[in-house]
């Protein structure tokens, strides 16, 4: 037997890269405060990773959480963590030298073939979109970014998107920068202004659903980076079930056409016990 | 083309490869997915009286290709919510076996009464999870307890009852005999083997819960030994579990005395398509060895059969 | 340079790596060879009242790099002949621990009385071989039996007694407590895990005896779990055994609560030089993690110590 | 971890080739009656083997025994079994198509560097000497063979030695061919007649000891292929202990200078219980 416990993605969805299932302890080598509520931790982790993939990152004493890799292309990988619940708030205080456990990378990746890409990110969604956009831009694709946040200082990776030569349009809930309101409005406008071959989106599922529906008339394929509660990340425990899929191995990136038919997409997820919980009710 | 369909006591299965409890078993869509992939039947996640989040992460530790340690902690949506998941799987045509866990005979019986009407073809009693305080091995290690629990469930419901036995015992066959005495239709073995992993860098157990259970290829010898010993001591059928990831593994279990097998950890190595592949490969292997059916290979390694 | 010498209750060992029983343990020259290779002490093959040829071959089945199944069947030259082997090893300076197996407390006590005067520093009681009718697990699975056997030996001889505990039990710590109550100086765990392998081509068990015991990396999680549980429940020291082939494995055992470890199957993977290498590697690893001594790492993963 | 359970030979003795520890079931493809009491079984077993190495061969229903490979150089390996006890007698009746289990090859090999080699074989000892002599002859070494047996028809591999161009001198206990008496007498004479760089011997240990002592004055290094009771063949169970060595991994081939100082060489072995038993007392 030679296949490690790596999670085996389903045929017909994207290829997942082979993964390192065994946990490694790494030291945080760099810590960057990206926004008032978001910190990036960098660490040396040699396994190859593709933009879109995530790792299971263990904060000893706290939880182990799925986190997208916000830096994928060198041995110095990174995750960008937004303060949400207890663990992710504690993570904000981790310094250089802190030790965390990493396993992965897991899951599939964004397909970099599209030549004109609209990137729509809300909240910490930019964490996974940035390395993907960077890779696409490096291959010569045109990248346009619609970036949303509650307020101006929370706009994640704005400078990073700009420095890769992308056109960046922002939206804030409070209007402190760019359009006031949801980033979906900006995305709608951009879809009308320019032709795109693909839309990449990550953020609250309700937002992603809106983006997906908006792009339908134009016939532009939308790819959503989804989240579900994760435990094994090996396609086994069923915690991350999303319709017939397991986000950890079949995703996290799905073509919207696979998600839109699912009654739960944008509506409900599952709590750690496996109960179906409507979004926003937690 | 060997005959792949099997009978496990009163149950008729289209093939001997059953999805093990705790793998793809929380949602109805997943159960249906395993069925569509070719499983002969699917066992649900073990369901308890109330929703349980399970233990915090880390809940798993992998040992490369030979083993996996887990302490999920019996997360489950609870018996009240879960029937809707079974309904989804049943709508899609799946043969579903319901797994339940409880702290005593009464709780098991209550759960059984709620689970039976959902259309599950049988109940598998989790008497063997090695890392859940008050459940699993803690109520399934003494023959008297096994007899009491199985008896209570058998009296409570009209459908076949399968007792899932622990390997963490000196005498698995004694537990199986207790289940048989109490009226079980079959025995399944094994659940995971109690295990622990320590991170020396951080000098702490890796799993949040500390103790966990080992599954995967490493436990195949232990599973085979249990099935071998149990087969010699009871007349009801045995379902073999533990470390099955190839048709050859399954055939070892059949020859050791299993009438069917459950497959868990292999799903993470080979994907859910493992079910279709196992059935295909077993068919060819039985042909090559000259067995006309799965049933004809059951117990073939026992002296009386050689 | 971390301090590698350890105390295991009354025993002082130059390092924590002890040759496990049944490996290089039949001849005095081999015991001496393991000592010369750097073992902290060597345990003899388990010796019984009379010469025993053991089971016919095949006595072992290998699973590549993660495990080994054996059913040697306790071959040994018998207590009358064996002292000359101990003498050879002692002449070469080895610290020898004598292992014995018997069918009841009386037989154990008799063997102990014959073994003690040979100059062994302690006796390890094999209460845990999983595949010998009338011996091992068959007399070591009930706390009352363990207490009776250990007690009889403790009363019979003036040297320290180590009870070797089985993992094939729901409650290894309960067996360890029984040993402690009876006056054992230490507990060692684990012996092999009951297992079976079947050759499907020939439809028969591979090992001539059928059932065997699994050793090697695959049983490390189980061994760690036993040591972890035992450490919390007794005050006498624990010796960790099972799947140790690297210093990192040994450190896991130390942190789980072992005061020393025994190494068996790794000898077939890495040769007898594994003892020297383990000591060297553990030294470096302890230095890197800032532990001044082996002793300072013992139990380090337990919550009270973190 | 990547080293399989292969047995790990001791430094300072010959290199053992990496071995296949996992058992394979093979079918007997050819059966040759070599002498009235000796049969060769051929079977397809691809792992590489060197002359001198042995396999553990399982005769299902009977014992598993160590047997030298009498054919090593192609995928079609072979063992040559002399009728001794129950199992080896039963083996004489195995036919083509019979299935046996093989694990190995185990142990070390004859060193083929010597240019002038005296081969001294008694009884079934020729089984392991023949492939070694063949390999040496193929490399251009001069091979002289002293071959002994109880009587003429029992002279094993006589034709095989002759067809490799070796000078063959025989001895039989009853004088039915060649010198009457022990093959050691023939060996003594050959050692005086010709210069040799090495002596290879396999046969009863008492015989090998005699050969070793006879070669001492001439200063020719002697290599003995030894036998001890074997169980694991992995250097673990101690069944095959010979002084400080384990025949299964440190041997079976030893330079006589390592063996002569051992009090048990030529005198005692161990029975399956590990008791020391004088030769000839079984
Ligand atoms: C594939 C994937 C990629 C992710 N990438 C990022 C990222 O790059 N940056 C980022 O900040 N966050 C990311 N998340 C979300 C992150 O895993 C956590 O959900 C979030 O940090 C909150 O964790 P908490 O423990 O602080 O919150 P808690 O207070 O424990 O819970 C708040 C919510 O977080 C979610 N959550 C808690 N534990 C888990 C878990 N094991 N798996 C999934 N969700 C959980 C639940 O929905 C819960 O309701 C990602 C999630 C997934 C599934
Ligand atoms: C490295 C090695 C290579 C060998 N190569 C050959 C060979 O090429 N051809 C050949 O005919 N024989 C060979 N033998 C001897 C062979 O293994 C058997 O000893 C012999 O065939 C008798 O076996 P039996 O079971 O028929 O005899 P039994 O009646 O069982 O016993 C007769 C004697 O055989 C020996 N024996 C039995 N079982 C074993 C065992 N497991 N390991 C070692 N010795 C045993 C014992 O000394 C015993 O006293 C070799 C032995 C060794 C150790
Ligand atoms: C992640 C995971 C969760 C499990 N959950 C359950 C469970 O809820 N109930 C149960 O009876 N067994 C559970 N098991 C045990 C399996 O059903 C099975 O007995 C065991 O894993 C051995 O089979 P395998 O080696 O094929 O995985 C679980 C196993 C794993 C790996
Ligand atoms: C070939 C073999 C023989 C053994 N014989 C004995 C024995 O005689 N007495 C005993 O107490 N344990 C015996 N054991 C068990 C070992 O001492 C040890 O407990 C077990 O192998 C686990 O350790 P390991 O994984 O390092 O091998 C034997 C193990 C093997 C592999
Ligand atoms: S986290 Fe996806 S199946 Fe377990
Ligand atoms: S046969 Fe050589 S040590 Fe076991």
């Amino acid at each position: 037997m030679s296949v490690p416990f790596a999670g085996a993605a389903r045929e017909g969805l994207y290829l997942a890269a082979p993964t390192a299932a065994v946990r490694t302890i790494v030291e945080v080598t760099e810590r960057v405060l990206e926004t008032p509520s978001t910190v990036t931790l960098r660490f040396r982790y040699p396994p190859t990773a593709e933009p879109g993939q995530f790792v299971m990152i263990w904060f000893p004493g706290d939880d182990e959480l799925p986190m997208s890799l916000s830096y994928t292309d060198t041995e110095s990988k990174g995750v960008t963590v937004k303060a949400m619940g207890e663990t992710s708030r504690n993570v904000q205080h981790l310094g250089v030298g802190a030790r965390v456990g990493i396993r992965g990378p897991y899951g599939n990746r964004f397909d970099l073939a599209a030549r004109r890409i609209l990137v729509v990110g809300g909240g910490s969604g930019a964490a996974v979109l940035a390395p993907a956009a960077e890779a696409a831009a490096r291959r010569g694709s045109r990248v346009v970014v619609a970036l949303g946040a509650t307020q101006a200082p929370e706009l994640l990776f704005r400078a990073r998107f700009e420095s890769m030569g992308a056109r960046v349009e922002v939206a804030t809930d409070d209007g402190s920068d760019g359009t006031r309101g949801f980033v979906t409005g900006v995305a709608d406008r951009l879809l009308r202004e320019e032709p795109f071959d693909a839309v990449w989106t990550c953020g609250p599922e309700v937002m992603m659903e809106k983006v997906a529906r908006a792009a339908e008339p134009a016939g532009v394929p939308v790819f959503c980076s989804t989240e579900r509660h994760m435990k094994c990340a090996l396609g086994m425990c069923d915690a991350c079930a999303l319709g017939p899929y397991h986000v950890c191995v079949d995703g996290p990136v799905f073509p919207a056409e696979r998600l839109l038919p699912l009654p739960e997409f944008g509506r409900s997820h599952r709590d750690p016990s496996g109960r179906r919980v409507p979004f926003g009710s937690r | 083309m060997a005959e792949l369909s099997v009978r496990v006591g009163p149950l008729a299965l289209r093939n001997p490869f059953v999805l093990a409890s705790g793998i793809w078993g929380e949602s109805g869509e997943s159960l249906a997915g395993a069925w569509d992939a070719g499983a002969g039947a699917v066992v649900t996640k073990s369901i308890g009286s109330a929703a349980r989040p399970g233990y915090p992460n880390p809940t798993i530790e992998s040992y490369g290709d030979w083993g996996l340690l887990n302490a999920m902690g019996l997360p489950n949506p609870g018996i009240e919510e879960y029937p809707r998941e079974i309904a989804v799987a049943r709508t899609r045509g799946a043969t579903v076996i319901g797994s339940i866990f409880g702290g005593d005979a009464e709780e098991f019986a209550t759960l059984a009464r709620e689970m039976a009407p959902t259309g599950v073809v049988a109940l598998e009693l989790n008497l063997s999870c090695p890392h859940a305080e008050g459940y699993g091995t803690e109520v399934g290690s003494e023959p008297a307890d096994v007899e009491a629990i199985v008896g209570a469930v058998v009296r409570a419901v009209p459908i076949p009852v399968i007792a899932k036995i622990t390997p963490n015992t000196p005498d698995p066959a004694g537990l199986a005999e207790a289940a048989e005495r109490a009226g079980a239709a079959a025995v399944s073995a094994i659940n995971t083997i109690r295990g622990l992993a320590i991170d020396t860098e951080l000098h702490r157990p890796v799993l949040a819960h500390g103790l966990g259970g080992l599954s995967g290829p490493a436990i195949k010898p232990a599973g085979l030994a249990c099935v071998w010993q149990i087969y010699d001591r009871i007349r009801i059928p045995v379902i073999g579990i533990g470390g099955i990831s190839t048709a050859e593994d399954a055939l070892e279990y059949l020859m050791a005395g299993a009438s069917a097998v459950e497959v868990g950890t292999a799903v993470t190595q080979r994907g859910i398509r493992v079910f279709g592949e196992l059935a295909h490969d077993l068919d060819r292997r039985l042909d090559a060895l000259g067995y006309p059916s799965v049933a004809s290979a059951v117990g073939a390694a026992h002296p009386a059969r050689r």
Side-chain angles (χ1 to χ4, degrees), chain A, chain B:
Chain A
M1 187 153 349
S2 63
V3 191
F5 294 123
R10 187 143 359 171
E11 251 121 15
L13 290 167
Y14 302 105
L15 278 180
T19 62
V22 179
R23 200 176 267 102
T24 309
I25 305 294
V26 300
E27 259 186 29
V28 172
T29 51
E30 201 188 327
R31 175 189 185 280
V32 181
L33 194 70
E34 305 286 0
T35 79
S37 72
T38 316
V39 72
T40 292
L41 305 177
R42 303 292 294 268
F43 45 84
R44 203 178 153 276
Y45 188 66
T48 340
E50 307 272 0
Q53 291 194 292
F54 68 98
V55 293
M56 291 300 285
I57 177 164
W58 178 31
F59 303 103
D62 268 317
D63 215 343
E64 181 197 48
L65 290 172
M67 287 283 161
S68 299
L69 286 171
S70 56
Y71 293 90
T72 53
D73 53 354
T74 68
E75 295 204 342
S76 171
K77 305 287 192 298
V79 296
T80 300
V81 184
K82 191 173 169 67
M84 303 273 289
E86 200 185 320
T87 302
S88 54
R89 277 201 310 270
N90 290 346
V91 170
Q92 308 297 313
H93 307 295
L94 286 187
V96 170
R99 284 178 300 181
V100 298
I102 303 281
R103 57 187 178 98
Y106 294 117
N108 63 1
R109 55 179 168 79
F110 284 104
D111 181 345
L112 301 177
R115 306 294 306 156
R116 298 165 303 184
I117 302 160
L118 174 60
V119 170
V120 186
S124 66
V128 68
L129 295 168
E134 231 159 39
R138 212 180 301 121
R139 291 169 54 126
S141 296
R142 169 163 173 81
V143 175
V144 177
V145 180
L147 192 63
T150 50
Q151 41 179 316
E154 287 295 346
L155 288 161
L156 179 62
F157 287 143
R158 180 185 196 160
R160 189 172 168 196
F161 284 116
E162 278 163 353
S163 73
M164 63 184 84
R167 171 183 170 196
V168 180
E169 302 270 334
V170 308
T172 50
D173 295 1
D174 65 356
S176 51
D177 196 352
T179 312
R180 171 190 298 260
F182 295 131
V183 69
T184 43
V186 177
D188 282 353
R189 175 166 55 78
L190 290 168
L191 277 166
R192 284 189 305 268
E193 281 179 24
E194 274 197 42
F196 290 102
D197 304 317
V199 178
W200 295 349
T201 178
C202 183
E205 206 160 294
V206 196
M207 176 204 101
M208 295 196 288
E209 196 202 348
K210 280 208 185 102
V211 172
R213 301 226 182 267
E216 261 187 334
V220 187
V222 177
F223 299 88
C224 307
S225 176
T226 57
E227 291 185 8
R228 280 297 179 275
H229 197 89
M230 283 189 184
K231 295 182 176 181
C232 71
L234 302 177
M236 172 171 61
C237 74
D238 219 21
C240 70
L242 170 58
Y245 307 117
H246 290 103
V247 172
C248 65
V249 293
D250 300 318
V253 181
F254 290 94
E257 74 206 52
R258 303 258 187 162
L259 299 175
L260 289 169
L262 305 180
E264 66 224 75
F265 180 58
R267 257 152 243 112
S268 70
H269 62 124
R270 286 162 182 276
D271 72 9
S273 76
R275 267 185 310 196
R276 298 178 194 249
V277 190
F279 277 115
S281 76
R282 64 188 180 199
Chain B
M1 295 287 284
E3 178 57 53
L4 291 185
S5 73
V6 294
R7 296 200 64 91
V8 180
L11 299 180
L13 307 181
R14 62 181 180 180
N15 70 49
F17 298 103
V18 176
L19 176 74
S21 181
I23 287 84
W24 281 48
E26 257 174 36
S27 91
E29 285 91 339
S30 295
L31 289 173
W35 173 258
D36 290 346
V42 295
V43 183
T44 71
K45 177 76 195 167
S46 290
I47 303 300
S49 303
R52 240 178 99 100
Y55 302 131
N57 283 345
T59 43
I60 73 116
E61 169 79 347
S62 160
Y63 298 96
D65 58 8
W66 57 259
L68 192 86
L69 189 71
N70 92 80
M72 309 309 297
L74 294 174
N76 79 96
I79 191 67
E80 215 174 300
E81 295 234 352
Y82 195 73
R84 64 173 281 190
E85 308 293 343
I86 297 177
V88 170
R90 297 245 306 136
T91 310
R92 300 264 296 278
T95 299
V96 182
I97 295 169
S99 171
I100 53 177
F101 71 95
D104 55 28
E106 204 178 314
E107 190 178 2
F108 268 101
T110 308
L111 285 162
R113 269 187 290 264
E114 296 190 49
M115 179 79 94
T118 60
V120 294
V121 296
L123 288 177
E124 184 179 77
L125 312 187
N126 180 345
L127 300 165
S128 41
C129 178
H131 51 71
E133 280 73 29
Y135 300 110
T137 41
E138 296 197 8
V139 301
S141 295
E142 293 299 326
D145 292 341
V146 168
E147 193 167 347
I149 291 170
V150 173
V153 175
V154 167
R155 285 187 297 274
V157 296
I159 58 176
V161 174
I162 303 163
K164 186 168 176 182
I165 299 295
T166 176
N168 302 294
T169 174
D171 182 22
L175 299 175
E177 285 173 338
E180 180 176 47
R181 276 196 303 277
V187 156
S188 57
I190 59 175
N191 210 312
T192 53
I193 290 185
R194 191 181 51 239
L196 179 80
I198 286 186
D199 190 292
T200 58
E201 193 95 25
L202 307 170
H203 54 92
R204 58 163 72 234
V206 173
L207 303 186
H209 179 255
L211 294 175
L214 188 69
S215 62
I219 71 167
K220 186 183 71 167
L224 286 167
C226 286
V227 168
W228 177 265
Q229 293 186 296
I230 291 171
Y231 178 82
D232 277 338
R233 301 244 302 264
I234 63 175
R235 306 174 68 104
I236 54 174
V238 191
I239 300 170
I241 320 175
I244 296 168
S245 56
T246 66
E248 189 66 12
D249 297 330
L251 188 51
E252 278 193 75
Y253 272 96
L254 296 172
M255 289 182 165
S259 296
V261 296
E262 295 183 21
V263 177
T265 304
V267 169
T268 88
Q269 295 180 279
R270 301 185 47 187
I272 202 70
R273 77 180 79 91
V274 71
F275 283 101
E277 292 168 2
L278 284 170
H280 173 262
D281 294 350
L282 181 63
D283 185 9
R284 289 180 44 161
R285 181 79 177 138
L286 289 172
D287 283 353
L289 293 175
Y291 289 91
S293 63
V294 170
S296 64
V298 174
H302 284 261
R305 283 282 314 274
R306 286 206 299 259

